[in-house]
Every structure is written in C-alpha cells, then in structure tokens.
Amino acid sequence: MNPGAEPLTKTTCPYCGVGCGMLTDGARLRGDGDHPANAGRLCVKGSSVLDTLGEHGRLLYPRIGQRRVSWDLALDEVAGRFRRVIEEHGPEAVAFYVSGQLLTEDYYVANKLMKGFLGGANIDTNSRLCMSSAVAAHKRAFGEDVVPGCYQDLELADLVVLTGSNTAWAHPIVYQRLAAAKKRRPAMKVVVIDPRRTATCDLADLHLAIRPGQDVALFNGLLRWLHDHDALDRDYIDAHTRDFQAALDAAGDQPLAGLARRLGLPAADLGTFYQWFAETPRTVTLFSQGINQARNGTDQGNAIINAHLATGRVGRPGAGPFSITGQPNAMGGREVGGLANQLAVHLDLEDAAHRAAVADFWGAPALPAEPGLMAVDLFQAVADGRIKAIWILATNPVDSMPEADRVRAALEACDTVVVSDCMADTDTLACADIALPALGWGEKDGTVTNSERCVSRQPAFLPAPGEARPDWWALCRVAERLGYGAAFDYAGPADIFREYASMTGLARRFGKQLDLSAAGDLSDHQYQRWAPRAWPLDGGARCFGDGRFSTADGRARFVACAPPPAPDTNHRRPLLLNSGRLRDQWHTMTRTGRAPALFSHRDEPFVDMHPRRAAREGLEEGGFVRVRGDASEALARVRLDRGLGEDQLFMPMHWSDCFSGRARVDALVPARTDPVSGQPAFKHTPVAVAPWRPAWHGVMLGAGAAPEVDYWARIPLDREMALDRYVLAGGDPLDPARFQDWLPAAAQWLTLDDPAAGHYRRAGLDGEGRLVAWLALAPTPPALDADWLTRAFREPVDAAGRARLLLGDGGDGGADRGAVICTCYQVREATLREAVAGGADSVAALGRRCRAGTNCGSCIPELKAFLA
Ligand SMILES: Nc1nc2c(c(=O)[nH]1)N[C@H]1C(S)=C(S)[C@@H](COP(=O)(O)OP(=O)(O)OC[C@H]3O[C@@H](n4cnc5c(=O)[nH]c(N)nc54)[C@H](O)[C@@H]3O)O[C@H]1N2
Ligand SMILES: Nc1nc2c(c(=O)[nH]1)N[C@H]1C(S)=C(S)[C@@H](COP(=O)(O)OP(=O)(O)OC[C@H]3O[C@@H](n4cnc5c(=O)[nH]c(N)nc54)[C@H](O)[C@@H]3O)O[C@H]1N2
Ligand code: SF4
Ligand SMILES: [Mo]
C-alpha cells in the first residue's frame, strides 16, 4: 500500500461462512492479515467482490407494483397491510422469510418484531435449506446449537474426514489452510466421503465414493466397528454421555463386506477408514450439505456426532465434529433465533421459563408458545391462503426452494408479497407487490458470525446508492407504524448489537454456551473498532472440551439413528440428481453474476454425467439434455464426468430465470424434508433424461433482453457497457426475422443471409462505427472471438476490422483458446498447454510461467488435473 493513501477499512467477505477478513476502500482490496479466519488469504470469489459493486442493476427506490413511491408511502403500505391481516386473521396469517445473508442486527430485529410483538412465530429463514439439520443434530446431542471446534482444529488434526462437503470450492480458504497443514505434516490423513469425485478429493488419501444418502449406514457401521475393536472411550461415555447402548443397538452389526456392498465401496477402503478413525485421537469430521440436505439429514449429523462422543473427541484440540456453515451470517441467524422453531439467543419456544425471560427482556406483549411454520410448510401455507402477507428479505426462494415453480405460483397468488433486496432483477422480486431497496455489502453496517463462532464486523465504506436503506431500518419503521416504536427505537446498528449482546446473558443464565453479554455496554466507537472474537467471549476457542454439555444434566446424548431410507428412484425416474455449488458462483448469481470473469470457469447451465450413462441415453459432451423431475423439466448442456456414478447426475444450483430459460434446478426438486429439521433433500432427486437436438444454434451479443427461444443462456461480457453474450438454440426451423424484436436499434446493419445453408449473421453499428448488436445463427454452434467483439462494442472498428465483423473474429488468434482455468489471471487452456510444452511440469512451474494459480489458489486442483 502506498503510504500517502487513505487507510483501508477492515471488513468481512460477503460470501461464505469461512468469514475471511478483508481490507478495502472499494477500489483496492486485499485479505486482512490479522483476521483469524484467513490470515490475509482470499479465494477467487472474495478477490473479485469489487467487480460486483456499482449502481448498475441495483434496486434503488421503493416500489408498489411497478410504481416508484416514497419510503413513507411504501412503509405505510407494508404496515397497513400487515395490520389488516393480523386484525382479521390473527398473527399466524403473516410471515417473514429471512436469510443468513442478513447482518445479525437486521436478523435480531426481524425475529424480535415477529416473535415478540406481532405474536406469531412464522419467521423462517433460508438456513432451513442449509443448516437446520445440523442445528437439530447439535441440539439433540449437546442440548444447544453449538459447533464445538475451530478452524485451527483442522490444522492440528491427524485425520480430517470431509463428508458431504466440497470444501475446495465452497470453503476455499479452509481448504487452503488444510492443504497447507498437510504439506507441513504429510503424515496427516484426509478422507473425503462424497458420491462424486470433486476437486476436494485432490487432497484425499482416501476417497469413499459412497452411494448417495447412505452416510448413516457408514457412521453406524463405524460405531459398531469401534465397539467390536475395543476402540471406544468407555470412561468418557460413562462420565459425560447418555443413551450409548440405544445408539449401538440401532447401529446394527452387519459384517464389513456386506456393509461395504450396500455402500457401494470396496471393503478394504471401508476397513481402512474405520481403522484410521479408531487409531487417531486427533480426528475432525467436517460436514456440510451432503449431510444436511437429505431426508434423514438430522440423523446423518447425529451419526457423525455419535462416533465422536464414543471416542471422547469433542471440543478438544484437533478433534471434534465440525458442521461448517454456508452463508456469511448463517451462524448469527441461529444465535438470534431466526428459525421458526427457535425463540431467541439459543432459547426454546416450547419452554415456559425461556419464554418468560424473553418476554420480560423485550417487554413483549405476546410471545407464541408454538413453533412457526418451517420454510416448506410456510410456502405451502402461502399457497393455500393461510398466510396472506409475507415479507421476504435477502433470499431468493423462487430459485432456491424445492418445487420452486409452486413457490412462484404461491407468491403470485398471495395478496401481499414484500421483497427487500439490493438487486433490481431477481426471480423473487418479479413476484413482489412491494419492493424495498436494501443496502448491500460495503454499504450496510453490522456484524456477522462465521463457522467457528467468530463475530466480525461488516462496516459501511461506500455511500448508499439511490434510496437504499438498511434492512433493520425498514423493519423498525414498520414496527413503529404498528405501534411498537418504543421497542424499536434504535439509533443505529451499535444500539441493536448492544441489546442483542446483553440478551445473550439470558442464554448464559439457562446454562448455554452462547454468551456475548460482556459486549452489552460497548460504546459506539468500540463497536466500530470491534476486532474479530469468538463466543463465548469469556471462553476459549472451543466448547464442551471439559465434557460438560448444555443439557439439563450436563451430559451429551447419543442418538439412535435408523438405517437410511432406500433411494426413491423408480423405472420412470431412474437417475438420482445431485445439486450444489460451483467454484466461482454464489447461489442465484444476483451478485457474482455481475462479474464477467466469474463465468470463465463455467458459463452455461449444465448437467454432469458419466460418459457411459451419456452414451446409453444418446447424449454427448456439449449437447443438450432434458432433465425431467416429477414437477418440472430443465434444459442444459451435457458435461461428461467420470467422477460420478453411472446412475447419478449433478447440476449446479446457480442458474435462475435471469440467466437461462429453463435451468432452475429447484423446479425439479420435490419438497421432501427431514422429519426432524424440516430441511429439504436437495441432493437426491429422482429424474429421467432425454437428448434434445436443436435445429439451429446461435450467439447474440448486445445489451438487450433474453430472446424467447427454446434455449438461451446469458453470459455477461462487460459490466460497464451492460453487455451480454446470449448463447441460443431452437427446435423450430430457423426464422431470423423473429430476432428483429430482440436486437437493439442500430444506425447501420451488415447482414449475411444464406437460407439454403441455414446461416444468418447480423452486425449493428452506431453512427461512429461501434458495434451495438451482433448475431450469428447456424446449424452448428457459431465460433467467435468474444474478446475481440467486446472491444468492437467499446471502440469504433477500423476498415480491416469491419471486413471481419460478420466473421466475429479479428484474426489475431484470440478464438478457441479454450476455457479459462485460472480466473484471477484469466489463464486459458491454450496458455497452459503452451506452458507445458515449454517444460512446465508442476503447479509451481505453471505459476512461474503464466501466473496461473498464484493468486487465490482456487484453481490448483484443476491445474493438477490438467497436468495429469
Ligand atoms: N462457491 C461457492 N461457495 C459457497 C456457496 C456458493 O454458492 N458458491 N454457498 C455457501 C453456502 S450457503 C453453503 S450451505 C456451502 C455449501 O457447501 P458444500 O456443502 O460443500 O457444497 P455443495 O456443493 O452443496 O455440496 C457438497 C457435496 O455434497 C455431496 N453429496 C451429495 N450427496 C451426498 C451424500 O449422500 N453423501 C455425502 N457424503 N455427500 C453427498 C455433493 O456431491 C457435493 O460435492 O457453500 C458455501 N460456499
Ligand atoms: N437444489 C439446491 N437448492 C438449494 C441448495 C442446494 O445445494 N441445491 N442450497 C440451499 C442453500 S444451502 C442455501 S443457503 C440457499 C441459498 O439461496 P438464496 O438465499 O435464495 O440465494 P441468494 O442468491 O444468496 O439470495 C440472496 C438474495 O439476497 C440479496 N441480498 C444480498 N445481500 C442483501 C442484503 O443485505 N439485504 C437484502 N435485503 N438483500 C440482500 C441478493 O441480491 C439475493 O437476491 O439455497 C438453497 N437451495
Ligand atoms: S473463502 Fe472465499 S468466499 Fe469464503 S469468506 Fe473467504 S474469501 Fe470469502
Ligand atoms: Mo447454505
């Protein structure tokens, strides 16, 4: 940093639950060397966050219907409608649906307003789709929703088990810390349990490609094995736990060979894993959505925890079960009580003493004694009219909920849908009756809690765009209009944080670990300067290490876990569709979808499948596949991947109707949930596939809207010019005239029209000779040099260039250099090939030659694969 420059602001990354510290002023950005989570590192999403900022595409003003209105009018309307519904139908007829992307202060206020003052419990959160099975498993085992360990445990461990986690892509900095630790201490072992071979397997000494949905069987088998091989910690079990025998009885005692067959694993591999687990006191089992998002997700979590309790490995250095959180503030939301079946600060709705303490603290007139509806049931209640007004903040359920088309229909039919978002175009906002513009990252001010319970600040360092306001502010102004002004009279986020922190004193009073009460009297200045710290504030980095838990008797509970249900594929839906994340995209792409570089890793929606499966179904790499579920159908590209079982498919969760015509994976996913947690089984959807062969292919460049054709995918090219590339395909015979509607106006058109060969090309120029539109339609996918064409949109094209415009290629060899592997330095396959030809034979050598992999390191697994 140059010495004269303004100091950078310390903040926290807006993406994943690793919660990396950053230093930025909106123009410069680097990792915060002092932050305990990342010590200065950032992954590719974090590094490119500045490319997603800016006013373009933001929701800037409140709207009622399509009409821009003042905040006063919008808030009057929200309050008026909520009041009328509550008066006529009771508090059960209104709902909030919130998100782990809110700040703790926003979340606290939303929960307080619903449960304390509106008197209903229908506030649920997208954490229901994400962490609720882990929450339920923690509560059953520990008596409280606590992740016992910390990131350092992954470095201290001698065995790290990663199950249902694609850590390399979803929690890259945790993965890099693990990779660095393993490099320092090669004796450390890593086991990955995942039906797919993922980038995470790159680090694995052993990959168990388990049959989908079978983790309980695997961990039950482990419990039995530990018992049979005298590897239990009997003293710990006796002193600190209950119900071991019931868990062991439920675990069954299938011989290893039979169990391995059932799990689809070589018996030797299964035995190796059990042996390693038995003999390694320092073992961490990290789990994520492959565990949580299943019909028995809660049992899956408890089966893992059982194995740790049985060996006394909880909350000790280098040992523990570790549920890693997804969203930047998933943990904060769980603290404040954002789930419909929680009250607040780790206290329970069903407990009268907890309710009395909370009512007293808030001065609340009415606390519900019954849990509210969990997300799937909540949207069902919207669909059948029991819920008549819903306020959705910081989440996009029309894309991310199972049976997403039904969620959309429910919102379209609902009388009052209020949506708070920072972006102007989302599939959920399209259903809003009232739209409220929210501040986004860099503008909003508050705190978040990461996976290791570390509370960090996200301060504002950018001005508010348009009339966007903080979410807590909008909630408080509505509370005021409903007559609860005194309880929501906060001067700012510091005020809210102090109240919340004090309130965690109640948790402590009821014997919980959550405790931030020492921060209850921070000054505004101290709040501004808060350095990352984990709760309990007066505790160490770990919880439960002394064997005392948050249950009434201080003992942890083993949970008897029934064998997993059989997969519900059938002859009509013979394949199991898995879904999840890509390295460079965030959820429904409302933010990462603004950074063109983040599309260079994967640019169109796709379905991964094994080459033999593809051959059997008449599908080929790059062709199109129709995926049929019970509720809907999707259309995407085929990608061949030998890392999948032959009866499995994988589809990314990211594509919304803003980025492709029919690639919302959640339209396919049925709304089947875990009976304990209510979390949907996103990972295991029965489907069928069939090829789709278009009559023509096309590419369109411009700033226009998506053409209404059978297949389209939007790939941002340049954010300043709002320039997109649309990849197109159609089933009907080609009719170029239809495209007139979708092409922007131009001063001059160059056209090539060859109906006999099925070729049609058009380039539109403005008065100065700059491209404003470019279209190519052909029987096979047209080639082009997107970088060259993008330049032609920016600067007038010279005579030589004009001659090549319809070709779409400047002739300087830019086309067909393959996919970008290293996003940070935009290194393409061709460059890597050249580096290899020039003698680069290791990741380090590639880095020296072409810089690939030397910034965030997220592409290192792919560089290794490339070298292999
Ligand atoms: N790049 C990126 N990172 C993110 C996010 C993002 O959108 N993009 N989102 C964040 C959020 S909110 C979350 S919750 C996390 C999620 O982080 P992860 O849970 O790591 O990510 P997923 O890709 O959803 O799924 C993890 C793995 O579970 C595997 N799996 C599927 N079925 C089974 C099974 O039956 N058993 C086992 N053992 N494994 C199975 C899948 O094959 C997949 O590789 O990521 C966070 N980080
Ligand atoms: N098939 C399938 N479906 C899944 C999953 C899966 O693995 N497979 N994973 C599930 C999981 S784990 C998760 S967490 C969900 C995520 O799903 P969503 O929460 O629906 O996804 P996001 O795209 O993160 O939506 C966040 C929205 O909030 C907006 N936003 C960002 N910051 C703010 C803010 O400060 N205030 C306001 N008001 N708005 C803001 C963004 O622009 C965006 O529109 O998806 C779930 N759905
Ligand atoms: S790992 Fe990447 S996305 Fe996650 S918090 Fe760190 S920089 Fe952000
Ligand atoms: Mo999540």
Side-chain angles (χ1 to χ4, degrees), residues 130 289 326-327 581 587:
C130 177
Q289 300 312 341
Q327 298 175 90
R581 278 124 188 109
H587 296 166

Side-chain angles (χ1 to χ4, degrees), residues 673-832:
T673 57
D674 176 277
V676 183
S677 68
Q679 179 156 354
F682 287 113
K683 294 285 186 260
H684 312 126
T685 297
V687 296
V689 294
W692 179 70
R693 299 193 207 289
W696 56 267
H697 296 262
V699 176
M700 187 174 102
L701 269 58
E708 289 160 34
V709 295
D710 295 301
Y711 175 85
W712 61 267
R714 176 160 79 87
I715 305 158
L717 276 181
D718 184 285
R719 204 153 65 85
E720 260 166 54
M721 296 189 285
L723 181 63
D724 293 315
R725 167 157 60 119
Y726 284 96
V727 177
L728 314 167
D732 296 334
L734 182 60
D735 174 13
R738 290 178 60 206
F739 282 83
Q740 243 9 79
D741 295 347
W742 303 309
L743 289 169
Q748 187 195 353
W749 289 102
L750 314 178
T751 307
L752 177 156
D753 191 2
D754 182 352
H759 282 275
Y760 181 85
R761 287 184 177 228
R762 271 207 119 174
L765 297 159
D766 68 10
E768 284 152 64
R770 247 183 243 107
L771 266 185
V772 291
W774 190 88
L775 174 71
L777 306 170
T780 55
L784 72 157
D785 178 350
D787 293 341
W788 183 75
L789 279 173
T790 305
R791 280 199 297 282
F793 275 84
R794 198 173 295 126
E795 292 149 22
V797 189
D798 64 15
R802 270 176 98 105
R804 300 191 65 97
L805 262 187
L806 286 178
L807 231 52
D809 174 359
D812 53 7
D816 285 334
R817 296 198 46 86
V820 172
I821 305 291
C822 167
T823 304
C824 295
Y825 295 120
Q826 291 288 300
V827 183
R828 290 178 185 274
E829 283 164 344
T831 311
L832 294 177

Side-chain angles (χ1 to χ4, degrees), residues 643-708:
L644 284 172
E646 280 183 51
D647 47 6
Q648 296 165 28
L649 308 172
F650 178 86
M651 203 172 160
M653 65 172 292
H654 303 295
W655 271 269
S656 67
D657 285 351
C658 299
F659 285 91
S660 188
R662 260 191 292 160
R664 281 154 63 242
V665 67
D666 280 325
L668 301 169
V669 175
R672 287 167 321 151
T673 57
D674 176 277
V676 183
S677 68
Q679 179 156 354
F682 287 113
K683 294 285 186 260
H684 312 126
T685 297
V687 296
V689 294
W692 179 70
R693 299 193 207 289
W696 56 267
H697 296 262
V699 176
M700 187 174 102
L701 269 58
E708 289 160 34

Side-chain angles (χ1 to χ4, degrees), residues 101 126 395-396 400 420-421 444 471 579 587-588 590 666:
Q101 290 166 77
N126 64 359
T395 176
N396 208 349
S400 58
S420 293
D421 206 289
K444 58 184 182 179
D471 290 309
S579 64
H587 296 166
T588 67
T590 64
D666 280 325

